[in-house]
Structure formats: C-alpha cells, structure tokens
Amino acid sequence: MSGPEPPGFLMPGSPPMRDTVAGWRQWVATRGDFTPAPRLSLAQWRLLSPKDKSLRDLHRAVTHANLPLLQTPMSLAVTKLLRGRITSNAAKRKPTTLSGVMVTGGGYQGKTETACECLAAFEEGWLQLHRYLNPEAVSGTRDLHVPVAYVQTPVTAKPKSLCKAILNFYGAPLSSRMDLPDLIRQVALTLHENGTKALLLDDITRLRMHRADDQDTLDLIRAFMNMHVTLVLVGVDIPRSGLLREGRHDPGSGQVHFPPSRHAVNGAEPTQTERRFDLVELDRFHYDTDEEITAWTDHLAGVESQLRLIKAEPGMLTEGVMPEYLFERTDGVVGLLERLLEDGCREAIDSGTECLTEPLLNNIAITPGPPGRDRTTGEIPDIPAPRRPARKASGRRPRNTVLDDQGPAAATGS
C-alpha cells in the first residue's frame, strides 16, 4: 500500500545536472516551476492546525533554499553583452572565426547562473524561431537540435578529457582507439550535426598555465572557435589566472587577441589566425558612493520580498544599519548573502523569532560551498567573520541615509 503523495513543492528526484543534453533540457524547462510558500499574517498562522503549521514551515524552508536569481546592475551588463554576441554570431553565414565571451569575477557572484539563464533564454527563442527543428540537419535524418551545450572543465584538464566531456554532453559514442585528431573531428561534427550555436565551458580557470597539458587544452579551446560556435568561458578572476598570458589586449576594442592555434581540424591550420574574446566582469556590490549604496539596498529589497517570515516588518533588510551590516558580513557577494539569509531564515523559524536581526545573524556562520568547489582557484571566496560584540559608533562606515525622509524643511531648503 503506497503512502501519501509528497507535497507538490518538494520536487521529486535530484536537481537536473546540466552537463548532459537531457539534464540541460530538463533544467531549462523546469527552472521557473517552483512555487514559493504563500504569505501568511500572524493571525492567519495562528488559525492553522499543528500539522498545517509543520507543512507551512517546510514549504517556507524550501522557499528560502530556492530563492530566485535576481538581476543586478552588474549581471545586466553581462547579460546584454552575452545575449548580443550569441545572437549576432548565430546569424552569421560567413565561414569566419566567431568572437567569444569570457565571463569573469569572484567566487559566488552568480557568473554561472547568469550565463546559463542567458543561454537558456537564447535557446528557447532559437528553438521557437525554427519550430524546434534543426535547420542544418542532413536531409533524411533526425538529428537532435541542441542550440546550447554546457560543459564543466575537468579538474585535471587535458585535450582528450575536454573533448570527451563535450561529447559526453551529447551522449556521442566514444572509442578507446580514438586519438586526439579523431576526437577533435568528432567534436566538430557533433557541434555541427546538432546545430549548436553556443558552447559554455564552466570553471575554465581550473586550467593552470604552468602545466603543459593545460596549455595544450587552452590551445584546443581556441581551435573550437573555428567551428562556427560561440565560446562562452566562465571562470574566477580570469585576468589573473594566466589564461590571457599569451594573448594581446587591445585597449581600444577591449578585446584580447590570441596567436594562431597549433591544433587544427582535418590537419590544416585555420585561416583565421586571431582568436578574439570579449572579457566581461560580473563584479560584486560595492558600498562607497550613494549610487552603490542605493543599488545594494534595492537588491536587498528584492531579496526581502522573497522571504516568508511571519513577523518580518517592511524594511527588515533595508532600514537602519542592516544594509551596512549585511554588506560587512558578505562583502557584497550575492552568493554569500543568499547563504547567510537562507540559514538565518531557518534559525528564525526554528526559534520562533520569525524575523532577521543583527543578533540572530551574528550566530550564523557562512559555510563554504558545495563539494567540488576548488578553493585554490578562488571558486570559494574569503568569508568575512561576524563582529562580536556589537559594533561601536566610532570607526565604522557612515550610516546609509539614501532612503531617509529628510522632511519638509529639507525640501524647501530652509
């Protein structure tokens, strides 16, 4: 006899893994399906039965663990460049090397999620435009139409392992007898047959330029740019990683020009010798000017609207010294802010406080990220420690007065 069905907000199974076609498509299709817990007043809460209260608590906890990706001024700039580059490249009909995009920034700043969301939106529009059929499919065949491919750079990357990671995304057959030229030709054929327009290589700064294998892998990545696909490389602090060391930065165009690749498809050197990338940074928030303080406070307001704490008053995260306090705890890194608030909300629910305060958050330690993150490459940022005891008035940043009401006297100038 089967038990009761689990609540609808508890999605069955594990989250989709984006490094396969099936996993990527599942993520694209379901990324907006989650329904957050409804808002309840304290009076409404008190009318619930103990069972319903327990269920509501679970739903609220799941809501706080699945906060939506909010656009920031920095992510908007990344999205604009990335979407424009991919769309423009996808429309090109000339057999030319396509310019790529490098998305850099610190750890936990939302680089991967911002890039994936942008690519998912492109894929949805591209599939609708072509009625979900591959316009480049060979007559009489039914090739998959995969406009976007997402691949994580192997931890110990080598040219062969990177080719295999790309082919594994498509589920393409592999043979142990395939040498590197065979793998490169298979990658080129697979990208073409599936109509892939953008290839995202995540965690690209796992490549270490002091290793010969990693230098060969970067050389291979440049060769991919001749396969009529837009390369999107995402990594932590790319300028300092050594990936651009062999490149020549053009301050006029803001692009990085690379020398020719030593690898070539079908054994011939590409005719296009300059490999170009647009380098764009997804920066953290800052808290120095009025404009920066306002941007941070606006972001906190957006996050606050997603929280489901019963006794939370409007301005819980945006008034008084709370914006300054949250900035000091997270250094303006959105991923650390999300982790702090998620754990803080759980503590607020468990303790019955039902509100986020500085004393409550002082007892919350921001823990490192999920398994597989490489601290040595900056994938896990430095985490500021909470201040204890409470901060004194002297020696701290000026209080945020951007949203203060100055009263009629200030308005009249008297």
Side-chain angles (χ1 to χ4, degrees), residues 88-132:
S88 177
N89 284 349
K92 289 183 184 295
R93 307 307 303 168
K94 298 180 294 184
T96 182
T97 300
L98 301 181
S99 297
V101 177
M102 288 184 174
V103 181
T104 186
Y108 270 52
Q109 289 175 192
K111 300 179 300 300
T112 296
E113 295 309 314
T114 298
C116 284
E117 180 61 37
C118 182
L119 290 173
F122 164 78
E123 178 174 279
E124 289 173 329
W126 190 258
L127 289 174
Q128 291 174 6
L129 182 65
H130 294 92
R131 300 180 182 179
Y132 297 88

Side-chain angles (χ1 to χ4, degrees), residues 19-264:
D19 55 358
T20 65
V21 170
W24 171 263
R25 286 185 166 177
Q26 182 185 358
W27 175 78
V28 170
T30 63
R31 70 190 192 282
D33 285 357
F34 178 73
T35 302
R39 297 182 182 278
L40 293 178
S41 66
L42 183 58
Q44 292 172 320
W45 172 259
R46 287 171 173 166
L47 294 176
L48 297 177
S49 68
K51 179 180 179 181
D52 286 340
K53 287 181 179 178
S54 177
L55 193 61
R56 294 289 186 183
D57 284 349
L58 179 59
H59 195 175
R60 290 193 292 154
V62 175
T63 298
H64 298 147
N66 292 276
L67 295 176
L69 179 68
L70 299 180
Q71 287 278 21
T72 68
M74 298 77 73
S75 66
L76 284 172
V78 173
T79 298
K80 180 180 179 180
L81 172 63
L82 190 54
R83 184 174 298 169
R85 175 67 65 233
I86 296 171
T87 303
S88 177
N89 284 349
K92 289 183 184 295
R93 307 307 303 168
K94 298 180 294 184
T96 182
T97 300
L98 301 181
S99 297
V101 177
M102 288 184 174
V103 181
T104 186
Y108 270 52
Q109 289 175 192
K111 300 179 300 300
T112 296
E113 295 309 314
T114 298
C116 284
E117 180 61 37
C118 182
L119 290 173
F122 164 78
E123 178 174 279
E124 289 173 329
W126 190 258
L127 289 174
Q128 291 174 6
L129 182 65
H130 294 92
R131 300 180 182 179
Y132 297 88
L133 298 176
N134 185 355
E136 300 177 4
V138 178
S139 178
T141 66
R142 297 189 61 175
D143 291 325
L144 283 173
H145 191 188
V146 186
V148 173
Y150 172 89
V151 177
Q152 274 203 321
T153 305
V155 176
T156 54
K158 297 181 180 180
K160 282 189 175 182
S161 66
L162 180 59
C163 286
K164 290 178 180 179
I166 295 172
L167 295 174
N168 284 334
F169 174 84
Y170 296 93
L174 291 171
S175 170
S176 59
R177 297 190 298 270
M178 297 176 71
D179 57 14
L180 182 56
D182 291 334
L183 288 170
I184 296 175
R185 283 191 288 269
Q186 184 64 34
V187 168
L189 181 64
T190 301
L191 292 172
H192 174 72
E193 288 183 342
N194 289 277
T196 300
K197 297 299 179 183
L199 170 61
L200 191 157
L201 298 179
D202 200 4
D203 298 323
I204 193 64
T205 41
R206 288 178 175 176
L207 297 181
R208 310 295 178 81
M209 293 301 99
H210 65 277
R211 296 190 299 226
D213 285 335
D214 292 30
Q215 293 177 15
D216 288 342
T217 302
L218 179 59
D219 200 32
L220 172 64
I221 290 172
R222 296 171 193 161
F224 291 158
M225 301 181 76
N226 204 39
M227 298 179 184
H228 209 74
V229 61
T230 301
L231 274 185
V232 180
L233 309 183
V234 180
V236 174
D237 199 359
I238 289 177
R240 295 183 59 186
S241 68
L243 289 175
L244 306 181
R245 185 170 55 194
E246 297 178 354
R248 174 175 57 83
H249 184 265
D250 183 353
S253 66
Q255 294 180 323
V256 178
H257 299 262
F258 290 105
S261 170
R262 289 176 296 152
H263 291 295

Side-chain angles (χ1 to χ4, degrees), residues 176-396:
S176 59
R177 297 190 298 270
M178 297 176 71
D179 57 14
L180 182 56
D182 291 334
L183 288 170
I184 296 175
R185 283 191 288 269
Q186 184 64 34
V187 168
L189 181 64
T190 301
L191 292 172
H192 174 72
E193 288 183 342
N194 289 277
T196 300
K197 297 299 179 183
L199 170 61
L200 191 157
L201 298 179
D202 200 4
D203 298 323
I204 193 64
T205 41
R206 288 178 175 176
L207 297 181
R208 310 295 178 81
M209 293 301 99
H210 65 277
R211 296 190 299 226
D213 285 335
D214 292 30
Q215 293 177 15
D216 288 342
T217 302
L218 179 59
D219 200 32
L220 172 64
I221 290 172
R222 296 171 193 161
F224 291 158
M225 301 181 76
N226 204 39
M227 298 179 184
H228 209 74
V229 61
T230 301
L231 274 185
V232 180
L233 309 183
V234 180
V236 174
D237 199 359
I238 289 177
R240 295 183 59 186
S241 68
L243 289 175
L244 306 181
R245 185 170 55 194
E246 297 178 354
R248 174 175 57 83
H249 184 265
D250 183 353
S253 66
Q255 294 180 323
V256 178
H257 299 262
F258 290 105
S261 170
R262 289 176 296 152
H263 291 295
V265 181
N266 298 326
E269 191 68 16
T271 56
Q272 177 82 16
T273 59
E274 284 193 327
R275 312 305 191 186
R276 300 182 300 169
F277 280 94
D278 286 327
L279 180 66
V280 59
E281 181 178 7
L282 182 56
D283 198 4
R284 62 181 180 88
F285 281 95
H286 295 273
Y287 201 85
D288 296 313
T289 67
D290 285 348
E291 183 179 4
E292 292 169 345
I293 293 173
T294 299
W296 173 247
T297 305
D298 287 345
H299 182 71
L300 293 179
V303 175
E304 182 181 318
S305 68
Q306 305 297 325
L307 304 184
R308 297 295 189 264
L309 296 178
I310 296 171
K311 297 180 182 179
E313 297 290 337
M316 177 179 64
L317 302 183
T318 60
E319 295 183 355
V321 300
M322 188 58 81
E324 177 189 347
Y325 170 78
L326 292 173
F327 184 85
E328 291 176 348
R329 286 296 310 272
T330 64
D331 202 24
V333 177
V334 293
L336 297 183
L337 175 68
E338 180 180 316
R339 179 60 62 87
L340 175 64
L341 296 182
E342 176 187 341
D343 293 349
C345 286
R346 184 175 63 247
E347 175 61 26
I349 292 173
D350 292 344
S351 65
T353 307
E354 291 290 347
C355 182
L356 296 180
T357 63
E358 185 174 340
L360 183 145
L361 293 175
N362 266 336
N363 293 317
I364 304 297
I366 303 177
T367 54
R373 298 290 88 186
D374 188 349
R375 184 180 293 275
T376 62
T377 61
E379 293 176 8
I380 299 177
D382 294 332
I383 301 174
R387 291 191 178 186
R388 293 176 182 170
R391 295 167 290 114
K392 297 180 181 180
S394 60
R396 65 183 178 92

